[in-house]
């Protein structure tokens, strides 16, 4: 798959974030995407679709997941992969807030996570535990290295090949409202270098 056609869909900021994360993944062959007319769309209802309650640290907090929903299962898999980037298992990172016992998913041989398909669970992502992981060992006084490693584990960075279609879309939207939506999506999940900012 080299091109994704998503024009005239009400993606909004959240949908566009998913598109950009997919585009930035180096293990796929995507080279271009079309999201023309897809920058509108209502923000999800806090009561019906919001699953995250922000904690004191960015990225920390509780996730209320209804596992019969594909979106919630996909989010749980993303959280498991986030734990792996800190060299930790899900059991080391997540605190189960639910009264009912919860058994974490299992990782298959192909690297994907098999997660429960029913039930509900409330989990807290313990970001402070992540900052105590082995990847930050010996960096107590090297704040610059801590920040760089933290962003490498929690945010995407566009390589040269992947950056071209993203910034081409930015220039296509020059002066249009969609440009602000694209910027909001980029700022949520990506580390932008100084050369990137010059393009913007």
């Amino acid at each position: 798959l080299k091109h994704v056609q998503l024009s005239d869909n009400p993606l909004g900021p959240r949908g566009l974030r998913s598109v950009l994360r997919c585009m930035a993944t180096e293990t796929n062959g995507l080279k271009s995407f079309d999201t023309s007319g897809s920058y509108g769309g209502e923000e999800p209802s806090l009561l019906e679709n919001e699953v995250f309650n922000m904690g004191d640290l960015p990225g920390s907090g509780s996730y209320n997941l209804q596992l019969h929903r594909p979106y919630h299962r996909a989010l749980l898999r993303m959280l498991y992969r986030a734990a792996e980037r800190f060299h930790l298992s899900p059991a080391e990172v997540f605190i189960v807030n639910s009264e009912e016992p919860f058994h974490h998913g299992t990782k298959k041989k192909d690297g994907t996570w098999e997660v429960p398909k029913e039930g509900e669970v409330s989990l807290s992502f313990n970001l402070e535990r992540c900052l105590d992981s082995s990847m930050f060992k010996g960096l107590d006084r090297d704040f610059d290295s801590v920040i760089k490693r933290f962003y490498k584990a929690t945010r995407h960075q566009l390589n040269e090949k992947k950056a071209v279609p993203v910034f081409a879309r930015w220039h296509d939207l020059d002066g249009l409202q969609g440009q602000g939506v694209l910027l909001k999506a980029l700022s949520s999940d990506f580390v932008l270098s100084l050369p990137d900012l010059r393009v913007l």
Side-chain angles (χ1 to χ4, degrees), residues 14-82:
R14 177 172 290 186
L16 193 58
R17 285 175 64 185
S18 297
V19 174
L20 293 174
R21 286 195 299 263
C22 185
M23 187 69 210
T25 303
E26 297 183 15
T27 53
N28 65 44
L30 278 179
K31 294 183 177 180
S32 61
F33 65 99
D34 186 357
T35 50
S36 304
S38 300
Y39 301 97
E42 295 181 2
E43 290 291 333
S45 165
L46 292 176
L47 295 178
E48 295 182 2
N49 296 312
E50 193 59 55
V51 298
F52 179 62
N53 294 314
M54 178 67 78
D56 293 332
L57 292 173
S60 67
S62 62
Y63 294 82
N64 304 306
L65 304 175
Q66 299 175 17
L67 298 172
H68 67 278
R69 295 186 174 186
Y71 167 67
H72 289 205
R73 294 197 300 272
L75 180 57
L76 182 58
R77 293 188 189 98
M78 288 177 61
L79 291 170
Y80 284 166
R81 290 195 294 272

Side-chain angles (χ1 to χ4, degrees), residues 109-145:
K109 291 182 179 180
D110 63 0
T112 59
W113 284 90
E114 185 71 32
V115 300
K117 296 183 178 179
E118 58 183 21
E120 298 183 10
V121 63
S122 175
L123 300 169
S124 293
F125 191 90
N126 189 348
L127 194 55
E128 293 181 68
R129 175 66 182 88
C130 295
L131 294 173
D132 287 333
S133 72
S134 60
M135 67 183 295
F136 298 108
K137 188 175 181 180
L139 299 178
D140 294 345
R141 298 186 179 182
D142 189 351
F143 187 69
D144 181 63
S145 295

Side-chain angles (χ1 to χ4, degrees), residues 139-156:
L139 299 178
D140 294 345
R141 298 186 179 182
D142 189 351
F143 187 69
D144 181 63
S145 295
V146 170
I147 290 296
K148 287 179 179 177
R149 292 190 187 185
F150 178 78
Y151 277 148
K152 186 176 181 180
T154 59
R155 295 200 170 203
H156 295 278

Side-chain angles (χ1 to χ4, degrees), residues 156-177:
H156 295 278
Q157 189 160 7
L158 293 165
N159 65 28
E160 185 176 349
K161 292 182 179 179
K162 297 287 188 173
V164 170
V166 173
F167 293 142
R169 179 61 50 191
W170 170 266
H171 285 289
D172 288 342
L173 294 168
D174 189 30
L176 300 177
Q177 183 178 3

